[in-house]
Amino acid sequence: MALKQCSLCDRKFTKLEHVKRHERSHTRERPYECPTCKKHFSRSDVLFRHCKGHAQNALNRQQQNQQQHQLNGKKSDENQNHPNAQQTEAGPNGAPTPQLQHDQSLSPLSRRRSSQQIPQNENQQNTNRSPSIHVRRPSITQHASPSDSRLEALINAAAHLEPPSDVPWRSPSPINIGTDNDRFLTRAQDSMPPPIDPAMDMLSFSPAGHVSSLDQWAFELVQSNHPMPNRTPADALQTWLFPLDNDILATNGSHHMAIDSHFDHDGFRHPAENQASPSGSSASIASRIPRERFARVESCWPSRNRKSTRLMPTLWQNLVLCESTNILSEIGPGVIETPISERERRNSRWGLDDECRDMLQGALNNASQALPSVFRAESYGDTASSSGDAGASPGGEGIQFPPAEILDIALEMYLYYFHPTLPIIHIPTFSAKNAPRTLLLSMCLIGLNILGTAGASKFVSKTFPTVLQMVLSELQSVSTRDYPPEKQLRIIATALLTLNLASITGRKSRIAHSEKLYAELISTAQNHGLFSANESPPPDSLLDEIMDIDARWKAWSRIECVKRTIVGLLEADCWYAAYLSASPMIRPETVQILPPSEYNLYHANSPTKWFHLIQRGSRIHTNRITPSYLPTPGLKLESTSFRSLLTLLLLRAYEANDRLANANSPQKHMEPWRVYSEDPRSRELIPLLVNLSSSSIDALRTADLNSAVLWHASCMMLGCNIRFFELAAGRAGPGPAVAALEDISAWSQTPSARRSVLHAAHIFKLLFDRKVSDIVNPHSVLSLFQAALVLGLYIFTLPTTAPSCGIENNCIELLDLVDWTCVGHVGLMENPTAPTTPLGFGDGSVVNFIRNGGAFSITGIAMEGGYLAARRTLLHCADLMDGMGRWKSRTFSQILHIMSDDLTETDGPDSDEA
C-alpha cells in the first residue's frame, strides 16, 4: 500500500483522511502567514512584530534613497514632482521593492509623535540611522508595489487595534472590544511583549477610522483563517491580530493554540471549560477577563471599613437556627452548654458564684488600662488590685470589689425591679455563667444602683466610666468586624442596658458621658434595619415548622428577646430626645416593628407550661404595627402592642416638635395640635391618639400602668409644648425664662391648656394610686416631671381674678375619674361640636371645664392662681417622684425642689451619696 505524505512536512500516513487531518493540525498550529515573505507563525503577536520589521526595512531603504538624492544635489522640488522615483535595492523576498508611496492619508508610517521629532543634520554621513532620530520629509512621493501595499494595509489595520502611541505598550483589553454574541474569546493573563526593535515602539500609525478604510485583501485573508457569519472586517481583524484570552492557553510555560467553539468542534478544552455559560459561550463569564485586571480596578477604590450586611433581612431565620439556648448567652467554641443544676440553683439562683465574680473583676482591671485619662479619676479600675481590694483613689478614698453574695443580690434586684420595665432577659433560660461579661456587669451595676446603699452607690460611680468605655468599644467593633448575628445582638442589648443605667439615676454627668454611646447605638440599629420589620417575612412560618416543643420554645424565646430589645431602643430614643430637648435619631415615619407577646407567656419557666398557655388562648404571634396604625374601635389592644404603639406615636410627636419649631407663631407652638393639623406628616397624630381612649383607656384603668401614663403624657403634649415649660423653669437661663412665662400666661386661658392640665393631674393620680406590685419605668418618671411643670406653671400664671371654689360654684376635682370617650377631641380641635362623630362630645362638667374654664381643686383643696399654690403642687410631685421607684431621679426631683424654693434639698443633682 502506497504511503501518503504530508505536503507541509516529511510525515507519511497510510490513509488519505489521516493526511488531511494532519494538514489541518498544521493550520491550527501555524495559522498566520506573512503576506510579504509567506512565512507562517503560530501567534498573531509574533506576526505583528515580524510585519513591523518589514516596515523598518522599508523605512531604512527610504532613508538611504533620500541621502543618495541629497548627495547628487537634486532639489527637493524636483523630488516632489518626479513621478517614477524608485528604489533599486531588493526586498527580503529577493525582488526589487519600490519605495513606499508617502501619502499621509494612506501610509501608516507618515506620522510620529511630535515630542520625538529631532531636526536632522544635513551633513550627517551615516545612512543607516535609526528611525527614532530621522525626520521624514512629507513632500517625497513614492510608488508602492502590490506586496508593500498589502504590507501597509496589514499594518494600517493593526493600527486600528493598536494601543495609542502616547501610553506605554500593553496588550489590547477585551473590555474595550465591542463584541456580538458570537465572539467570546478571552486573552491570557500574559500581555503582549514589546516590539523586537525598541525604536519601533516610537512609530505612530494612522488612527482608527471607519471600517471602510480597511483593506479588503486583509479582510479576506482573515476571513479565510476564521470563517464566521455576520462578521465585519474590523471584528475579524480584531480577533486575528489580537486573539482573546481563551485563544492562548499556557501549559508549563509553553503556548499552544485553542480555537473557539465557533471554529472548532473537537473539544480542545478541559471538561470544566466546556460547561455552558449564561451567555451561551463554552467559556465561563469570569474567564474572559484576566484576574489581574480585577485587582487593578480594586486598587482604585478605597478600602471598605464598614460592613454592608444588614441583620434584619435574615434576622428571624438566624435566631431560629441559633445554637444557644438563650440569645444573650455566650458559649465558647467547642463547649457544650449545660443547664444550671438544682444544687447550683439553691446556692445561687442565677449562677453568680466566686468564679463569676473573679471573671468580672478581671474584666474591669483589664479594661481600665485602656481607659482615657479623663475618666480614670472616676474609674474603679485604676485602683483595683488583684485581691479585690482597691488602693487609694485620686480623691483619697478606697473601694472594695463586692463579694459574690452582694453581686448575686444585685442581680436579684435587677430582675425583680428593673427587668419588668425592660424585659429583654429570658429568665427561664438565663445563666450568669454563660452571660457576656459586659452584659453581666451592666446588670449588676443597675441592681447595685437600685440597692442604694452608700457602698453600692459609690461602687457604681467609680465603675460606670470603665463599663461605659468597654461597651462603647464593643459597639464600635460591630461595624468593622465580622461577628455572627447573635453576637451583634448581644452587644446591642448590652449597650441598651448601659444607657438605661445612666437614665434611671437622672444624673446629668452620666447622661452626658453616655451621649456618644446613645448616638452609636441608634445608628447601628438603624444600619442593620432593626426598625424595618417589612424587610423580612414574619417568623410565624419558621416557628410552625419546628415540631419539637422544647426546640420551638427556645427559638420563640430568642425571637421575643430581640423584639423586646427593639422596643427598648425606641423607648431609649424617646427618653433621650425628651431629656436633651432634641429631635429623635430614629425617623418615626419609616418604623415598622413586631411588638412582643404577652408578659406571662414570655416568663413561662418550661416548654410544657408555655405550650399549656398557648392552648388556653395566649398568642405567640403578633401583628406588625407602624406609626400610622389605626386600631379597630372597641377592640382591646394587648398591653405590649399598646405600649409599642404609644412609643411610636410619642416618637412622632418629638420629631414633629423639632421639625416645625420655627414654622409658625409662638402662640401656635404653645398648642402643638394646631401645627400638626396643618402638617401633612403629623395631622393624623391627633385622631390616632384620641381614638386609643376607646380601645385601651377607660375610667377604671384596666390597662398597664406605664402604658396609661404614656397615653396621658402623649395627649398632654398635643395641647402644650413642653419645651416652653422647660425654658420657663430656667433650662436656658433667666432671659428665655421670662419670655416663656409670658407665653405660658397667654396659653393658660385656652381650652388646650385646661385639657393638658387635666391629663397632667391624671398622671399624678395614676402614679400616686399605684399598687405595690406595679413597677414604674423611667418613662413614667419623666412623664411625672413634665406633668409637674404643666400643673405648677399653669397654676402660677392664672390671674388672681380667676373663680375659686365656693359653695355655690360648680368646682371640678381634677383627680376624679373621667370617661375619655365622652371628652373626645375637645380642646384638641376647633369647635368639636358635631354630634354625629364616632366618639361624640358630652356636655358634662369635664367638657364644660375644658371649653369654658372655671374653679377646680386637687385632692379636695381649692386651687387659686399664684406662687403658693404652685409651690405646693411642685413639692407634692417631687415627693412622689423621690419615693416612687427603686432608683432616684435626682435631676428631675432636684429641679422641682429648686423651683419650689425648698431649702431642705441641699445635695447637688450629681452627688454620689445614696
Side-chain angles (χ1 to χ4, degrees), residues 38-327:
K38 306 302 181 182
K39 288 186 178 181
H40 290 81
F41 301 89
S42 61
R43 291 176 53 179
S44 62
D45 54 336
V46 179
L47 173 61
F48 184 77
R49 294 196 299 271
H50 177 77
C51 292
K52 280 197 172 184
H54 283 302
Q56 183 172 355
N57 291 336
L59 183 61
N60 291 337
R61 289 193 298 272
Q62 178 190 354
Q63 295 168 4
Q64 295 172 5
N65 186 54
Q66 291 176 359
Q67 292 294 334
Q68 182 178 359
H69 283 290
Q70 292 172 4
L71 293 176
N72 294 336
K74 292 185 178 182
K75 296 182 179 181
S76 60
D77 293 339
E78 295 177 0
N79 292 338
Q80 293 175 1
N81 298 328
H82 196 285
N84 299 320
Q86 297 180 351
Q87 293 182 1
T88 57
E89 285 89 345
N93 56 0
T97 303
Q99 188 173 359
L100 295 176
Q101 181 180 358
H102 189 75
D103 190 308
Q104 189 170 2
S105 63
L106 297 177
S107 174
L109 306 177
S110 61
R111 296 194 314 274
R112 79 180 67 177
R113 288 173 295 188
S114 60
S115 60
Q116 295 173 344
Q117 293 180 354
I118 304 174
Q120 182 180 1
N121 188 352
E122 296 291 340
N123 299 325
Q124 181 60 258
Q125 299 298 323
N126 185 7
T127 60
N128 296 321
R129 297 186 60 179
S130 172
S132 61
I133 60 174
H134 180 71
V135 179
R136 298 180 60 184
R137 300 188 179 275
S139 59
I140 299 177
T141 303
Q142 300 168 343
H143 293 283
S145 68
S147 178
D148 283 336
S149 297
R150 292 184 176 184
L151 171 62
E152 184 170 341
L154 180 62
I155 299 178
N156 189 30
H160 288 264
L161 311 174
E162 186 185 16
S165 58
D166 56 347
V167 297
W169 179 272
R170 60 180 181 271
S171 62
S173 171
I175 267 182
N176 298 324
I177 300 175
T179 63
D180 295 322
N181 291 333
D182 57 346
R183 194 170 78 252
F184 295 112
L185 298 175
T186 54
R187 285 188 57 81
Q189 294 185 15
D190 54 325
S191 60
M192 183 181 294
I196 299 175
D197 186 354
M200 292 300 297
D201 191 32
M202 307 178 69
L203 291 176
S204 163
F205 297 102
S206 59
H210 192 265
V211 67
S212 60
S213 65
L214 299 179
D215 187 81
Q216 185 65 23
W217 166 84
F219 172 63
E220 293 175 355
L221 175 64
V222 175
Q223 286 291 78
S224 64
N225 281 276
H226 295 299
M228 180 183 294
N230 301 325
R231 290 176 65 86
T232 64
D235 291 337
L237 282 173
Q238 177 74 64
T239 307
W240 186 73
L241 290 173
F242 299 114
L244 303 180
D245 287 347
N246 219 34
D247 283 340
I248 303 175
L249 301 179
T251 305
N252 298 328
S254 62
H255 297 272
H256 64 88
M257 296 304 301
I259 310 300
D260 187 80
S261 60
H262 291 287
F263 311 121
D264 177 27
H265 301 282
D266 294 336
F268 284 17
R269 296 177 178 84
H270 299 299
E273 295 175 341
N274 288 325
Q275 300 295 329
S277 66
S279 61
S281 171
S282 62
S284 65
I285 295 293
S287 66
R288 301 176 199 169
I289 302 175
R291 297 181 63 87
E292 179 269 346
R293 186 169 298 124
F294 293 118
R296 292 174 58 190
V297 172
E298 180 187 16
S299 65
C300 297
W301 270 289
S303 59
R304 185 177 61 186
N305 294 325
R306 300 185 66 88
K307 298 191 289 77
S308 59
T309 306
R310 293 163 64 88
L311 284 175
M312 179 51 73
T314 58
L315 177 62
W316 311 126
Q317 182 178 4
N318 290 330
L319 292 176
V320 169
L321 300 177
C322 181
E323 297 181 357
S324 300
T325 300
N326 191 304
I327 191 62

Side-chain angles (χ1 to χ4, degrees), residues 9-26:
C9 63
D10 298 331
R11 295 192 60 181
K12 297 181 181 180
F13 302 88
T14 58
K15 295 183 178 181
L16 180 61
E17 47 268 33
H18 292 171
V19 177
K20 293 182 179 179
R21 186 182 307 152
H22 178 71
E23 289 178 348
R24 284 199 300 270
S25 66
H26 279 296

